Amino acid sequence: MTARHRPDIVLVLTDQHRADVSAREGFPLDTTPFLDELGRSGAWFDRAYTTSPLCCPARTSLMTGRFPSAHRVTQNPAHPLAVRDADLFGEARAAGYATAMIGKNHTYLDASSVDHWVEFMHDGQVAAPSKALNKEFDKWLAGLRHRTHEKPTPFPVEAQNPHRIVDEALAWAAGVPDDRPFLLTVSIPEPHNPYQVPEPYFSLFPEESLPPTRTGAEVLEGKSFPWRYLRSLGERAVADYEGAIAPSRSNYFGMLRLIDDELRRLLTGLEGRHRVRERVVVATADHGDFVGEYGLVRKGAEIPDILARVPLVVNGDAVRPAGAPRPEHVSLADLMPTLCEAMGRELPDGVQGRSLWPLLTGRPCPADEFSSSYVEQGMGGLPYGPGDVAGQMPGLIFDGPDGEPRWDELNAATQSGRRRKVRSGDWTLYADIVGDFRLYNLREDPLELVDRWSDPAAADERVRLLSLLAVWQMRAEDPLPTVPGGYRLKRDPRNHLAPYRHSEGKGQSS
């Protein structure tokens, strides 16, 4: 790969962005027209999965190409303790790339990890912004305490995180010489709660126009304890929890359109550079949001498909247009090795994800390599249950300093235990540490309400997915540390496994 053709990489990451709420997926509201256009002219995956439906574990996986059980970040507070060697920014710098992280971080990374760093979170810019308007907006945003604002946000679009982040990204990119490639990560904290959006986006999807949810709180009685606990937390914190769901949904969809317009503005602003440099654009998210399904908002309960599946669109000069969703099952952990290959870097030790670059560029790829995806959740220990909460144990139900109920969906109760998910074809398997196994047909039952684990008609699928789970569990074991001068591991250059199955070591990667 010549220096001239090393592509710029623009990585756009949204937070709590559900995969199925877009027109390209058949959703009745046109929430992301520009992203849909990018998908149609590039590649989009409707079977892309997070590594864990939680911010820090997922983001750490994206940066390191490692699963949570390997990098050890299985809960948000553990983000500074990530176990890793190489990461995406380190590989980009080694390849001579200029690097920038602009927006939400929420990983082990810090300002020393990149050439340019501007950090935002859900309450606005981490360092005090210079403009008075932005300071005022950030103070207002923090005052929402992650809840729903049921009127138009009383600040213009220009004060919103996505707009300010894109401004920062364009200003930085303008200073990078054309003869030097860059890795620009634009990490938008929305549409994560607090659910708020200004005009004209507030009125785009009014409550009366919203498609109804397919389920309500009535199904929670058939779900496990964390689901019901989430609902009870919301009801303690919000006087009319049920009544707040519709405005939360309306704001969520409006924010998606705002983000989509900012993505268009970002890429339009980079067009001058694109005329002299090839580029790759990746747009994805860390995990989903209930957005009203099951009578819930936010996240936290187990690993349903609605939280685990993420949007993934890849567009670029070398990306072969697919025109339709790609059938492969892929993971956030696959993006780091994919972008390493795009930059001309070999996969570092410790990386567990698989390179998608052959798929994206139309080169041969093992047919079975992407026939399943794997997701993890849970911080360990035994799962908490109703008896534990009855005693009001610290760390389960807790209030703020003023005694007001605190609404924290990520707590000891919802994150306790260990859970695993495998998706293959129309089927998904759930397993947890105390031996609860469930099997769902996602084509017939996308919200996973009918457990087929004991159904004789599903016996073959049960065995098939259990076999896949066993392989994935071994695949996700940590290969680090490597021992200098020790045994040399046999590795496929793209971390593909399919060519070696049942081959007695004779298989070769394509």
Side-chain angles (χ1 to χ4, degrees):
M1 179 179 296
T2 66
R4 166 76 175 80
H5 290 96
R6 287 185 301 164
D8 282 345
I9 295 171
V10 181
L11 173 59
V12 178
L13 181 63
T14 47
D15 195 339
Q16 217 159 284
H17 182 170
R18 225 174 85 182
D20 63 341
V21 289
S22 63
R24 72 179 182 278
E25 293 242 359
F27 192 62
L29 305 180
D30 194 11
T31 57
T32 56
F34 183 64
L35 186 60
D36 294 357
E37 180 184 322
L38 283 179
R40 285 190 293 269
S41 62
W44 65 277
F45 296 85
D46 64 353
R47 296 179 180 184
Y49 281 82
T50 184
T51 58
S52 182
L54 192 58
C55 295
C56 292
R59 290 164 181 269
T60 304
S61 291
L62 191 157
M63 287 294 153
T64 64
R66 290 158 61 79
F67 285 92
S69 56
H71 62 58
R72 315 287 176 85
V73 179
T74 58
Q75 54 179 301
N76 280 352
H79 70 270
L81 307 176
V83 176
R84 89 283 180 199
D85 189 0
D87 65 16
L88 181 59
F89 282 121
E91 291 303 302
R93 284 177 136 180
Y97 275 63
T99 56
M101 164 66 86
I102 301 173
K104 178 176 174 177
N105 170 32
H106 222 183
T107 72
Y108 62 90
L109 297 166
D110 59 31
S112 68
S113 305
V114 294
D115 301 316
H116 186 69
W117 177 275
V118 183
E119 188 173 0
F120 286 72
M121 279 295 283
H122 304 297
D123 294 341
Q125 193 166 347
V126 172
S130 57
K131 291 184 179 179
L133 173 67
N134 295 342
K135 288 181 182 178
E136 189 179 353
F137 171 74
D138 290 358
K139 182 179 179 180
W140 177 87
L141 196 60
L144 291 179
R145 295 166 26 256
H146 281 258
R147 286 155 168 78
T148 299
H149 190 63
E150 298 189 14
K151 296 178 181 179
T153 299
F155 291 86
V157 170
E158 290 74 20
Q160 288 281 336
N161 285 337
H163 188 92
R164 288 156 60 186
I165 288 169
V166 168
D167 278 352
E168 294 278 358
L170 290 175
W172 175 77
V176 180
D178 288 344
D179 62 355
R180 187 180 184 193
F182 66 55
L183 166 58
L184 168 61
T185 296
V186 176
S187 182
I188 296 173
E190 288 80 15
H192 188 289
N193 45 284
Y195 303 115
Q196 58 78 36
V197 72
E199 293 289 11
Y201 300 97
F202 181 85
S203 298
L204 275 182
F205 307 112
E207 294 176 38
E208 61 273 15
S209 74
L210 302 181
T213 59
R214 293 166 289 177
T215 60
E218 71 281 354
V219 303
L220 295 178
E221 286 305 311
K223 291 289 187 179
S224 64
F225 167 71
W227 297 74
R228 300 190 299 276
Y229 183 61
L230 272 185
R231 175 76 183 202
S232 71
L233 279 181
E235 290 173 343
R236 288 182 72 248
V238 178
D240 183 11
Y241 180 91
E242 184 67 30
I245 289 177
S248 299
R249 297 178 72 219
S250 180
N251 283 347
Y252 183 93
F253 300 138
M255 183 54 73
L256 283 179
R257 179 64 78 86
L258 186 156
I259 292 168
D260 194 68
D261 284 350
E262 293 300 325
L263 175 58
R264 184 190 298 271
R265 187 167 74 91
L266 172 69
L267 296 188
T268 299
L270 295 173
E271 274 306 308
R273 184 175 173 92
H274 187 206
R275 283 193 284 271
V276 297
R277 288 206 71 88
E278 294 183 1
R279 75 178 177 200
V280 177
V281 178
V282 179
T284 189
D286 51 4
H287 54 77
D289 186 307
F290 288 116
V291 199
E293 296 294 353
Y294 312 99
L296 298 171
V297 292
R298 307 189 183 186
K299 55 187 178 295
E302 297 186 347
I303 41 178
D305 220 62
I306 208 167
L307 299 183
R309 194 163 69 86
V310 293
L312 177 57
V313 166
V314 186
N315 196 294
D317 300 276
V319 176
R320 179 168 294 185
R326 296 203 60 115
E328 293 86 5
H329 302 68
V330 300
S331 169
L332 280 188
D334 297 334
L335 292 181
M336 187 270 194
T338 300
L339 295 178
C340 279
E341 186 167 358
M343 293 186 291
R345 298 289 294 174
E346 293 183 0
L347 267 59
D349 290 337
V351 173
Q352 298 168 310
R354 309 157 293 182
S355 175
L356 310 178
W357 197 240
L359 286 178
L360 294 169
T361 56
R363 286 180 284 169
C365 195
D368 295 335
E369 181 59 43
F370 299 96
S371 62
S372 65
S373 280
Y374 166 77
V375 188
E376 305 180 345
Q377 191 257 349
M379 62 185 184
L382 292 172
Y384 283 106
D388 301 307
V389 173
Q392 302 268 322
M393 289 182 60
L396 293 181
I397 292 178
F398 49 91
D399 295 334
D402 56 358
E404 187 176 2
R406 181 177 173 184
W407 184 5
D408 181 9
E409 69 274 24
L410 304 176
N411 52 68
T414 62
Q415 302 306 299
S416 58
R418 299 281 193 204
R419 299 169 186 87
R420 302 291 185 258
K421 175 190 183 78
V422 171
R423 162 80 189 270
S424 181
D426 293 333
W427 293 85
T428 188
L429 171 72
Y430 166 97
D432 76 10
I433 195 171
V434 293
D436 182 11
F437 291 89
R438 304 175 212 152
L439 184 68
Y440 300 102
N441 185 307
L442 293 174
R443 180 173 52 82
E444 301 171 356
D445 178 27
L447 293 178
E448 298 161 293
L449 300 176
V450 181
D451 180 11
R452 303 282 299 278
W453 176 257
S454 299
D455 182 353
D460 289 346
E461 293 297 336
R462 183 172 65 238
V463 171
R464 184 175 72 87
L465 268 72
L466 279 172
S467 300
L468 287 171
L469 176 61
V471 172
W472 271 112
Q473 292 262 235
M474 289 182 279
R475 194 168 190 173
E477 290 179 0
D478 192 0
L480 292 178
T482 55
V483 181
Y487 299 115
R488 181 178 179 181
L489 296 179
K490 179 179 179 179
R491 299 181 61 212
D492 182 89
R494 296 188 174 112
N495 273 353
H496 293 171
L497 182 64
Y500 306 92
R501 290 185 183 130
H502 311 295
S503 64
E504 298 180 348
K506 298 177 182 177
Q508 297 295 322
S509 176
S510 59

